[in-house]
Coordinates of all heavy atoms in Angstrom, one line a residue:
K1 N 55.5 79.3 138.8 CA 56.5 79.7 137.9 C 57.4 80.8 138.6 O 56.9 81.7 139.2 CB 55.9 80.4 136.7 CG 56.9 80.7 135.6 CD 56.2 81.2 134.3 CE 57.2 81.5 133.3 NZ 56.5 82.0 132.1
S2 N 58.7 80.5 138.6 CA 59.6 81.5 139.3 C 59.9 82.7 138.4 O 59.7 82.6 137.2 CB 60.9 80.8 139.5 OG 61.6 80.4 138.3
H3 N 60.2 83.8 139.0 CA 60.5 85.0 138.3 C 62.0 85.0 138.0 O 62.9 84.9 138.8 CB 60.2 86.2 139.1 CG 58.8 86.3 139.5 ND1 57.8 86.7 138.5 CD2 58.1 86.1 140.6 CE1 56.6 86.7 139.1 NE2 56.7 86.3 140.3
Q4 N 62.3 85.0 136.7 CA 63.7 85.0 136.2 C 64.0 86.3 135.5 O 63.1 86.9 134.9 CB 63.9 83.8 135.2 CG 63.7 82.5 135.8 CD 63.9 81.4 134.8 OE1 64.0 81.6 133.6 NE2 64.0 80.2 135.3
K5 N 65.2 86.7 135.6 CA 65.6 87.9 134.9 C 66.0 87.6 133.5 O 66.7 86.6 133.2 CB 66.9 88.5 135.6 CG 66.6 89.1 137.0 CD 67.8 89.7 137.5 CE 67.6 90.3 138.9 NZ 68.7 91.0 139.5
G6 N 65.5 88.4 132.6 CA 65.8 88.3 131.2 C 67.2 89.0 130.9 O 67.6 89.8 131.7
V7 N 67.8 88.7 129.9 CA 69.0 89.3 129.5 C 68.8 90.1 128.2 O 68.4 89.6 127.2 CB 70.1 88.3 129.3 CG1 71.4 89.0 128.9 CG2 70.4 87.5 130.6
R8 N 69.0 91.4 128.3 CA 68.8 92.3 127.1 C 70.1 92.5 126.4 O 71.1 92.9 127.1 CB 68.1 93.6 127.5 CG 67.7 94.4 126.3 CD 66.7 95.4 126.6 NE 65.5 94.9 127.3 CZ 64.4 94.5 126.6 NH1 64.4 94.3 125.3 NH2 63.3 94.1 127.3
I9 N 70.2 92.4 125.1 CA 71.4 92.6 124.4 C 71.6 94.1 124.1 O 70.6 94.8 123.8 CB 71.3 92.0 123.0 CG1 71.2 90.5 123.1 CG2 72.4 92.3 122.1 CD1 72.4 89.8 123.6
R10 N 72.8 94.6 124.3 CA 73.2 95.9 123.9 C 74.5 95.8 123.1 O 75.5 95.5 123.7 CB 73.4 96.8 125.1 CG 73.6 98.3 124.7 CD 73.9 99.1 125.9 NE 75.4 99.0 126.1 CZ 76.0 99.4 127.2 NH1 75.3 99.9 128.2 NH2 77.3 99.2 127.4
I11 N 74.4 96.0 121.8 CA 75.5 95.8 121.0 C 76.5 97.0 121.2 O 76.0 98.2 121.1 CB 75.1 95.7 119.5 CG1 74.1 94.6 119.3 CG2 76.3 95.5 118.6 CD1 74.6 93.2 119.7
S12 N 77.7 96.7 121.4 CA 78.7 97.8 121.5 C 79.1 98.3 120.2 O 79.1 97.6 119.2 CB 80.0 97.2 122.2 OG 81.0 98.1 122.2
K13 N 79.5 99.6 120.1 CA 80.0 100.2 118.9 C 81.4 99.6 118.6 O 81.8 99.6 117.4 CB 80.1 101.7 119.0 CG 78.7 102.3 119.1 CD 78.8 103.8 119.2 CE 77.4 104.4 119.3 NZ 77.5 105.9 119.4
H14 N 82.2 99.3 119.6 CA 83.5 98.7 119.4 C 83.5 97.2 119.5 O 83.2 96.7 120.6 CB 84.5 99.4 120.4 CG 85.8 98.7 120.3 ND1 86.6 98.7 119.2 CD2 86.5 98.0 121.3 CE1 87.8 98.1 119.5 NE2 87.7 97.6 120.7
L15 N 83.7 96.5 118.4 CA 83.7 95.0 118.5 C 85.2 94.6 118.4 O 85.9 95.0 117.5 CB 82.9 94.5 117.3 CG 81.4 94.8 117.4 CD1 80.8 94.3 116.1 CD2 80.8 94.3 118.6
S16 N 85.6 93.8 119.3 CA 87.0 93.3 119.4 C 87.2 92.0 118.7 O 86.3 91.3 118.3 CB 87.4 93.2 120.9 OG 86.6 92.1 121.5
Y17 N 88.5 91.7 118.5 CA 88.9 90.5 117.8 C 88.5 89.3 118.7 O 88.6 89.2 119.9 CB 90.4 90.5 117.7 CG 91.0 89.2 117.2 CD1 90.9 88.8 115.9 CD2 91.7 88.4 118.1 CE1 91.4 87.6 115.5 CE2 92.2 87.2 117.7 CZ 92.1 86.8 116.3 OH 92.6 85.6 115.9
V18 N 87.9 88.2 118.0 CA 87.5 87.0 118.7 C 88.7 86.0 118.6 O 89.1 85.6 117.5 CB 86.3 86.4 118.1 CG1 85.9 85.1 118.7 CG2 85.1 87.4 118.2
E19 N 89.2 85.6 119.8 CA 90.3 84.6 119.8 C 89.7 83.2 119.8 O 88.7 82.9 120.4 CB 91.1 84.8 121.1 CG 91.7 86.1 121.2 CD 92.4 86.3 122.6 OE1 92.6 85.3 123.3 OE2 92.7 87.5 122.9
G20 N 90.3 82.3 119.0 CA 89.9 80.9 119.0 C 90.5 80.1 120.1 O 91.6 80.4 120.6
A21 N 89.8 79.1 120.5 CA 90.3 78.2 121.5 C 90.8 76.9 120.8 O 90.2 76.5 119.9 CB 89.2 77.9 122.5
T22 N 91.8 76.4 121.3 CA 92.4 75.2 120.7 C 92.0 73.9 121.5 O 91.3 73.0 121.0 CB 93.9 75.3 120.5 OG1 94.5 75.6 121.8 CG2 94.2 76.3 119.5
I23 N 92.5 73.8 122.7 CA 92.2 72.6 123.5 C 91.6 73.1 124.9 O 92.0 74.0 125.5 CB 93.5 71.9 123.8 CG1 94.1 71.4 122.5 CG2 93.3 70.7 124.8 CD1 95.5 70.8 122.7
L24 N 90.5 72.4 125.2 CA 89.9 72.7 126.5 C 90.6 72.0 127.6 O 90.6 70.8 127.7 CB 88.4 72.3 126.5 CG 87.5 73.0 125.4 CD1 86.1 72.4 125.5 CD2 87.5 74.5 125.6
K25 N 91.3 72.8 128.5 CA 92.0 72.2 129.6 C 91.3 72.3 130.9 O 91.6 71.6 131.8 CB 93.4 72.9 129.7 CG 94.2 72.7 128.5 CD 95.5 73.5 128.7 CE 96.4 73.3 127.4 NZ 97.6 74.1 127.4
S26 N 90.3 73.1 131.0 CA 89.6 73.3 132.2 C 88.2 73.8 132.0 O 87.8 74.2 130.8 CB 90.3 74.3 133.1 OG 90.2 75.6 132.6
N27 N 87.4 73.9 133.0 CA 86.0 74.5 132.9 C 86.1 76.0 132.5 O 85.3 76.5 131.8 CB 85.3 74.3 134.2 CG 83.8 74.7 134.1 OD1 83.2 74.4 133.1 ND2 83.3 75.4 135.1
H28 N 87.2 76.6 133.0 CA 87.4 78.0 132.6 C 87.5 78.2 131.1 O 87.0 79.1 130.5 CB 88.6 78.6 133.3 CG 88.8 80.1 133.1 ND1 88.0 81.0 133.7 CD2 89.7 80.8 132.4 CE1 88.4 82.2 133.4 NE2 89.4 82.1 132.6
D29 N 88.2 77.2 130.4 CA 88.3 77.2 129.0 C 87.0 77.1 128.3 O 86.7 77.8 127.4 CB 89.2 76.1 128.5 CG 90.7 76.3 128.8 OD1 91.1 77.5 129.1 OD2 91.5 75.3 128.8
L30 N 86.1 76.2 128.9 CA 84.8 76.0 128.3 C 84.0 77.3 128.5 O 83.2 77.7 127.6 CB 84.1 74.8 129.0 CG 82.7 74.5 128.6 CD1 82.6 74.2 127.1 CD2 82.1 73.4 129.4
Q31 N 84.1 77.9 129.6 CA 83.4 79.2 129.9 C 83.8 80.2 128.8 O 82.9 80.9 128.3 CB 83.7 79.7 131.3 CG 83.1 78.9 132.4 CD 83.7 79.2 133.7 OE1 84.8 79.9 133.8 NE2 83.0 78.8 134.8
N32 N 85.1 80.3 128.5 CA 85.5 81.3 127.5 C 85.1 80.9 126.1 O 84.8 81.8 125.3 CB 87.0 81.5 127.6 CG 87.4 82.3 128.8 OD1 86.8 83.4 129.0 ND2 88.3 81.9 129.6
V33 N 85.1 79.6 125.8 CA 84.6 79.2 124.5 C 83.1 79.6 124.3 O 82.8 80.2 123.2 CB 84.7 77.7 124.3 CG1 84.0 77.2 123.1 CG2 86.2 77.3 124.2
I34 N 82.3 79.4 125.3 CA 80.9 79.8 125.2 C 80.8 81.3 125.1 O 80.0 81.9 124.3 CB 80.1 79.2 126.4 CG1 80.0 77.7 126.2 CG2 78.7 79.9 126.5 CD1 79.5 77.0 127.4
Y35 N 81.6 82.1 125.9 CA 81.6 83.5 125.8 C 81.9 84.0 124.4 O 81.2 84.8 123.8 CB 82.6 84.1 126.8 CG 83.0 85.5 126.5 CD1 82.1 86.6 126.8 CD2 84.2 85.9 125.8 CE1 82.4 87.9 126.5 CE2 84.5 87.2 125.5 CZ 83.6 88.2 125.9 OH 83.9 89.5 125.6
H36 N 83.0 83.4 123.8 CA 83.4 83.8 122.4 C 82.4 83.4 121.4 O 82.2 84.1 120.4 CB 84.8 83.2 122.1 CG 85.9 84.0 122.8 ND1 86.2 85.3 122.6 CD2 86.7 83.6 123.8 CE1 87.2 85.7 123.4 NE2 87.5 84.6 124.1
M37 N 81.7 82.2 121.6 CA 80.7 81.8 120.7 C 79.5 82.9 120.7 O 79.0 83.2 119.7 CB 80.1 80.5 121.2 CG 78.9 80.0 120.4 SD 78.0 78.6 121.1 CE 77.1 79.5 122.5
L38 N 79.1 83.3 121.9 CA 78.1 84.3 122.0 C 78.5 85.7 121.4 O 77.7 86.3 120.7 CB 77.6 84.5 123.5 CG 76.9 83.3 124.0 CD1 76.8 83.4 125.6 CD2 75.5 83.1 123.4
V39 N 79.7 86.1 121.6 CA 80.3 87.3 121.0 C 80.2 87.2 119.5 O 79.7 88.1 118.8 CB 81.7 87.6 121.5 CG1 82.3 88.7 120.6 CG2 81.7 88.0 122.9
T40 N 80.6 86.0 119.0 CA 80.5 85.8 117.5 C 79.1 85.9 117.0 O 78.8 86.5 116.0 CB 81.2 84.5 117.1 OG1 82.6 84.5 117.6 CG2 81.2 84.2 115.6
Q41 N 78.2 85.3 117.7 CA 76.8 85.3 117.3 C 76.3 86.7 117.3 O 75.5 87.1 116.4 CB 75.9 84.4 118.2 CG 76.2 82.9 118.0 CD 75.4 82.1 118.9 OE1 75.0 82.5 120.0 NE2 75.2 80.8 118.5
I42 N 76.7 87.5 118.3 CA 76.2 88.9 118.3 C 76.8 89.7 117.1 O 76.1 90.4 116.4 CB 76.7 89.6 119.6 CG1 75.9 89.0 120.8 CG2 76.5 91.1 119.5 CD1 76.4 89.4 122.2
K43 N 78.1 89.5 116.8 CA 78.7 90.1 115.7 C 78.1 89.7 114.3 O 78.0 90.5 113.4 CB 80.2 89.8 115.7 CG 81.0 90.5 116.8 CD 82.5 90.2 116.7 CE 83.3 90.9 117.7 NZ 84.7 90.6 117.6
L44 N 77.7 88.5 114.2 CA 77.1 88.0 113.0 C 75.6 88.3 112.8 O 75.0 88.0 111.8 CB 77.3 86.5 112.9 CG 78.8 86.0 112.7 CD1 78.8 84.5 112.7 CD2 79.4 86.5 111.4
G45 N 75.1 88.9 113.9 CA 73.7 89.3 113.8 C 72.7 88.3 114.2 O 71.5 88.4 113.9
V46 N 73.1 87.2 114.9 CA 72.2 86.2 115.4 C 71.3 86.9 116.4 O 70.1 86.6 116.5 CB 72.9 85.0 115.9 CG1 72.0 84.0 116.6 CG2 73.7 84.3 114.8
Y47 N 71.9 87.7 117.3 CA 71.2 88.5 118.3 C 71.3 90.0 117.9 O 72.4 90.4 117.4 CB 71.8 88.3 119.7 CG 71.6 86.9 120.1 CD1 72.7 86.0 120.2 CD2 70.4 86.4 120.6 CE1 72.5 84.7 120.7 CE2 70.2 85.1 121.0 CZ 71.3 84.3 121.1 OH 71.1 83.0 121.5
H48 N 70.2 90.7 118.0 CA 70.2 92.1 117.7 C 69.9 92.9 119.0 O 69.4 92.4 120.0 CB 69.1 92.4 116.6 CG 69.3 91.6 115.4 ND1 70.2 92.0 114.4 CD2 68.7 90.5 115.0 CE1 70.2 91.1 113.5 NE2 69.3 90.2 113.8
F49 N 70.0 94.3 118.8 CA 69.7 95.2 119.9 C 68.3 94.9 120.4 O 67.4 94.8 119.6 CB 69.9 96.6 119.4 CG 69.6 97.6 120.5 CD1 70.6 97.8 121.5 CD2 68.5 98.3 120.6 CE1 70.4 98.8 122.5 CE2 68.3 99.2 121.6 CZ 69.3 99.5 122.6
N50 N 68.1 94.8 121.7 CA 66.9 94.5 122.4 C 66.4 93.1 122.3 O 65.3 92.8 122.8 CB 65.7 95.5 122.0 CG 65.9 96.8 122.6 OD1 66.5 97.0 123.6 ND2 65.4 97.9 121.9
D51 N 67.1 92.2 121.6 CA 66.8 90.8 121.7 C 67.1 90.3 123.1 O 67.9 90.9 123.8 CB 67.6 90.0 120.7 CG 67.2 90.1 119.3 OD1 66.1 90.7 119.1 OD2 67.9 89.6 118.4
H52 N 66.6 89.1 123.4 CA 66.9 88.4 124.7 C 67.7 87.2 124.4 O 67.3 86.4 123.5 CB 65.6 88.1 125.4 CG 64.8 89.2 125.9 ND1 64.8 89.7 127.2 CD2 64.0 90.1 125.2 CE1 64.1 90.7 127.3 NE2 63.6 91.0 126.1
L53 N 68.7 87.0 125.2 CA 69.4 85.7 125.2 C 68.5 84.7 126.0 O 67.7 85.1 126.8 CB 70.8 85.8 125.9 CG 71.8 86.6 125.2 CD1 73.1 86.7 126.2 CD2 72.2 85.9 123.9
P54 N 68.7 83.4 125.7 CA 67.9 82.5 126.5 C 68.3 82.6 128.0 O 69.4 83.0 128.4 CB 68.4 81.1 126.0 CG 68.9 81.4 124.6 CD 69.5 82.8 124.7
Y55 N 67.4 82.2 128.9 CA 67.6 82.2 130.3 C 68.8 81.2 130.5 O 69.1 80.3 129.7 CB 66.4 81.7 131.1 CG 65.3 82.7 131.1 CD1 64.1 82.4 130.5 CD2 65.5 83.9 131.8 CE1 63.1 83.4 130.5 CE2 64.4 84.8 131.8 CZ 63.2 84.6 131.1 OH 62.2 85.5 131.2
I56 N 69.5 81.5 131.6 CA 70.7 80.7 132.0 C 70.3 79.2 132.0 O 71.1 78.4 131.4 CB 71.3 81.1 133.3 CG1 71.9 82.5 133.2 CG2 72.3 80.1 133.8 CD1 72.3 83.1 134.5
K57 N 69.2 78.8 132.6 CA 68.9 77.4 132.7 C 68.6 76.8 131.3 O 69.1 75.7 131.0 CB 67.6 77.2 133.6 CG 67.3 75.8 133.8 CD 66.2 75.6 134.7 CE 65.8 74.1 134.9 NZ 64.8 73.9 135.9
E58 N 67.9 77.6 130.4 CA 67.6 77.1 129.1 C 68.9 76.9 128.3 O 69.1 75.9 127.6 CB 66.8 78.1 128.3 CG 65.4 78.3 128.6 CD 64.7 79.4 127.8 OE1 64.3 79.0 126.7 OE2 64.7 80.5 128.3
M59 N 69.8 77.8 128.4 CA 71.1 77.8 127.6 C 72.0 76.6 128.2 O 72.6 75.9 127.4 CB 71.9 79.1 127.7 CG 73.1 79.1 126.9 SD 72.9 79.0 125.1 CE 72.7 80.7 124.7
S60 N 72.0 76.4 129.5 CA 72.8 75.3 130.0 C 72.2 74.0 129.6 O 73.0 73.1 129.3 CB 72.9 75.4 131.6 OG 71.6 75.2 132.2
L61 N 70.9 73.8 129.5 CA 70.3 72.6 129.0 C 70.6 72.4 127.6 O 71.0 71.3 127.1 CB 68.8 72.6 129.3 CG 68.4 72.4 130.7 CD1 66.9 72.7 130.9 CD2 68.8 71.1 131.3
Y62 N 70.5 73.4 126.8 CA 70.8 73.3 125.3 C 72.2 72.9 125.1 O 72.5 72.1 124.2 CB 70.4 74.7 124.7 CG 70.7 74.7 123.2 CD1 69.9 74.0 122.3 CD2 71.8 75.4 122.7 CE1 70.1 74.0 120.9 CE2 72.1 75.4 121.3 CZ 71.2 74.7 120.5 OH 71.5 74.7 119.1
L63 N 73.2 73.6 125.8 CA 74.6 73.3 125.5 C 75.1 72.1 126.4 O 76.3 71.8 126.3 CB 75.4 74.6 125.8 CG 75.2 75.7 124.8 CD1 76.0 76.9 125.3 CD2 75.5 75.3 123.4
Q64 N 74.3 71.6 127.3 CA 74.6 70.5 128.2 C 75.8 70.9 129.0 O 76.8 70.1 129.1 CB 74.8 69.2 127.4 CG 73.5 68.8 126.7 CD 73.6 67.5 126.0 OE1 74.6 66.8 126.2 NE2 72.6 67.2 125.2
V65 N 75.8 72.0 129.7 CA 76.8 72.5 130.6 C 76.2 73.0 131.9 O 75.0 73.2 131.9 CB 77.7 73.6 130.0 CG1 78.4 73.1 128.8 CG2 76.9 74.8 129.7
A66 N 76.9 73.1 132.9 CA 76.4 73.6 134.2 C 75.9 75.1 134.0 O 76.5 75.9 133.3 CB 77.5 73.6 135.2
P67 N 74.9 75.4 134.8 CA 74.4 76.8 134.7 C 75.5 77.8 135.1 O 75.5 78.9 134.6 CB 73.3 76.8 135.8 CG 72.8 75.4 135.8 CD 74.0 74.6 135.6
E68 N 76.4 77.5 136.0 CA 77.5 78.4 136.4 C 78.4 78.7 135.2 O 78.9 79.8 135.1 CB 78.3 77.8 137.5 CG 77.6 77.6 138.8 CD 76.7 76.4 138.8 OE1 76.8 75.5 138.0 OE2 75.7 76.4 139.7
T69 N 78.5 77.8 134.2 CA 79.3 78.0 133.0 C 78.6 79.1 132.2 O 79.3 80.0 131.7 CB 79.4 76.7 132.2 OG1 80.0 75.8 133.0 CG2 80.3 76.9 131.0
I70 N 77.3 79.1 132.0 CA 76.6 80.1 131.3 C 76.6 81.4 132.0 O 76.7 82.4 131.4 CB 75.1 79.6 131.0 CG1 75.1 78.2 130.3 CG2 74.3 80.6 130.2 CD1 75.9 78.2 128.9
R71 N 76.4 81.3 133.3 CA 76.4 82.6 134.2 C 77.7 83.3 134.0 O 77.7 84.5 133.8 CB 76.1 82.2 135.6 CG 75.9 83.4 136.5 CD 75.5 83.1 137.9 NE 74.2 82.5 137.9 CZ 73.9 81.2 138.2 NH1 74.8 80.4 138.4 NH2 72.6 80.8 138.1
Y72 N 78.8 82.6 134.0 CA 80.1 83.2 133.8 C 80.2 83.9 132.4 O 80.6 85.1 132.3 CB 81.2 82.1 133.9 CG 82.6 82.7 133.5 CD1 83.4 83.2 134.4 CD2 83.0 82.6 132.1 CE1 84.7 83.8 134.1 CE2 84.2 83.2 131.8 CZ 85.1 83.7 132.7 OH 86.3 84.2 132.4
A73 N 79.7 83.2 131.4 CA 79.8 83.8 130.0 C 78.9 85.0 129.9 O 79.3 86.0 129.4 CB 79.3 82.7 129.0
Y74 N 77.7 85.0 130.5 CA 76.8 86.1 130.4 C 77.4 87.3 131.2 O 77.3 88.4 130.8 CB 75.4 85.7 131.0 CG 74.5 85.0 130.1 CD1 74.9 84.4 128.9 CD2 73.2 84.8 130.4 CE1 74.1 83.7 128.0 CE2 72.3 84.1 129.6 CZ 72.8 83.6 128.4 OH 71.9 82.9 127.5
N75 N 77.9 87.0 132.4 CA 78.6 88.1 133.2 C 79.7 88.7 132.4 O 79.9 89.9 132.5 CB 79.0 87.6 134.6 CG 77.8 87.5 135.5 OD1 76.8 88.2 135.4 ND2 77.9 86.5 136.4
K76 N 80.5 87.9 131.7 CA 81.6 88.4 131.0 C 81.1 89.3 129.8 O 81.7 90.3 129.5 CB 82.5 87.3 130.5 CG 83.8 87.8 129.9 CD 84.8 86.6 129.7 CE 86.1 87.1 129.1 NZ 87.0 86.0 128.8
L77 N 80.0 88.9 129.2 CA 79.4 89.7 128.1 C 79.0 91.0 128.7 O 79.2 92.1 128.1 CB 78.2 89.0 127.5 CG 78.4 87.8 126.6 CD1 77.1 87.1 126.3 CD2 79.1 88.2 125.3
K78 N 78.4 91.0 129.9 CA 78.0 92.2 130.6 C 79.2 93.1 130.9 O 79.2 94.3 130.6 CB 77.2 91.9 131.8 CG 76.7 93.2 132.6 CD 75.8 92.8 133.8 CE 76.7 92.3 134.9 NZ 77.2 93.2 135.8
D79 N 80.2 92.5 131.5 CA 81.4 93.2 131.9 C 82.1 93.9 130.7 O 82.7 94.9 130.8 CB 82.4 92.3 132.6 CG 81.9 91.9 133.9 OD1 80.9 92.4 134.5 OD2 82.5 90.9 134.5
N80 N 82.0 93.3 129.5 CA 82.6 93.8 128.3 C 81.6 94.6 127.4 O 81.8 94.9 126.3 CB 83.2 92.7 127.5 CG 84.4 92.1 128.2 OD1 85.3 92.9 128.5 ND2 84.5 90.8 128.4
H81 N 80.5 94.9 128.0 CA 79.5 95.9 127.4 C 78.8 95.3 126.2 O 78.3 96.1 125.3 CB 80.1 97.2 127.2 CG 80.8 97.8 128.4 ND1 80.1 98.2 129.5 CD2 82.1 97.9 128.7 CE1 81.0 98.6 130.4 NE2 82.2 98.5 129.9
Y82 N 78.7 94.0 126.0 CA 77.9 93.4 124.9 C 76.5 93.3 125.3 O 75.6 93.4 124.4 CB 78.5 92.0 124.6 CG 79.7 92.0 123.8 CD1 80.9 91.7 124.4 CD2 79.7 92.4 122.5 CE1 82.1 91.7 123.7 CE2 80.9 92.4 121.7 CZ 82.1 92.1 122.4 OH 83.3 92.1 121.6
I83 N 76.2 93.1 126.6 CA 74.8 93.0 127.0 C 74.6 93.8 128.3 O 75.5 94.2 128.9 CB 74.3 91.6 127.3 CG1 75.1 90.9 128.4 CG2 74.5 90.7 126.0 CD1 74.6 89.6 128.9
S84 N 73.3 94.1 128.6 CA 73.0 94.7 129.9 C 71.8 93.8 130.4 O 71.1 93.2 129.7 CB 72.5 96.1 129.7 OG 71.4 96.3 128.8
L85 N 71.8 93.8 131.7 CA 70.7 93.0 132.4 C 69.6 93.8 132.7 O 69.7 95.0 133.1 CB 71.3 92.4 133.7 CG 72.5 91.5 133.5 CD1 73.0 91.0 134.8 CD2 72.2 90.3 132.6
S86 N 68.4 93.3 132.5 CA 67.2 94.0 132.8 C 66.1 93.0 133.4 O 66.2 91.8 133.0 CB 66.6 94.7 131.6 OG 66.2 93.8 130.6
K87 N 65.2 93.5 134.2 CA 64.2 92.6 134.7 C 63.1 92.5 133.7 O 62.7 93.4 133.0 CB 63.5 93.2 136.0 CG 64.5 93.3 137.1 CD 63.8 93.8 138.3 CE 64.7 93.9 139.5 NZ 64.1 94.4 140.7
N88 N 62.6 91.2 133.6 CA 61.5 90.9 132.6 C 60.6 89.9 133.2 O 61.0 88.9 133.7 CB 62.0 90.5 131.3 CG 62.4 91.7 130.4 OD1 62.0 92.8 130.7 ND2 63.1 91.4 129.4

């Protein structure tokens, strides 16, 4: 079994407006749709402080997208202070 890093949620005090996507023109659009989907789930309480998001591989299989697409979304969540990464 390989050692994978878990992703720990850290909910920000400031929650921004979620923009809707209309037409997917590129993989970048898909990455942003997944990012916004996860932000919405955090805002709606699907994920709570100290919860773990699924591993990148699990999420990519579930959504049937490339792992890089999920990695982008998770990194954007981290960059925007929705989550922090921790070893588990």
Side-chain angles (χ1 to χ4, degrees):
K1 186 175 179 179
S2 66
H3 296 287
Q4 298 178 347
K5 290 184 181 180
V7 178
R8 188 161 306 273
I9 296 289
R10 186 185 84 191
I11 304 299
S12 173
K13 291 181 182 179
H14 172 62
L15 299 176
S16 62
Y17 171 75
V18 176
E19 299 174 14
T22 53
I23 298 174
L24 299 178
K25 297 179 183 174
S26 70
N27 190 42
H28 187 72
D29 289 341
L30 180 58
Q31 293 167 339
N32 282 311
V33 167
I34 292 171
Y35 163 78
H36 287 293
M37 175 194 75
L38 291 167
V39 167
T40 300
Q41 289 178 337
I42 291 168
K43 289 180 179 184
L44 292 175
V46 174
Y47 295 107
H48 302 281
F49 184 76
N50 284 333
D51 283 351
H52 291 259
L53 290 175
Y55 290 113
I56 290 171
K57 185 174 180 176
E58 285 179 86
M59 184 68 90
S60 69
L61 290 171
Y62 178 74
L63 296 177
Q64 298 184 9
V65 298
E68 294 76 21
T69 302
I70 303 302
R71 187 172 293 109
Y72 172 89
Y74 282 10
N75 282 330
K76 191 169 178 180
L77 288 170
K78 181 178 73 89
D79 292 345
N80 289 310
H81 309 289
Y82 284 104
I83 64 172
S84 58
L85 300 178
S86 63
K87 292 182 180 181
N88 278 343

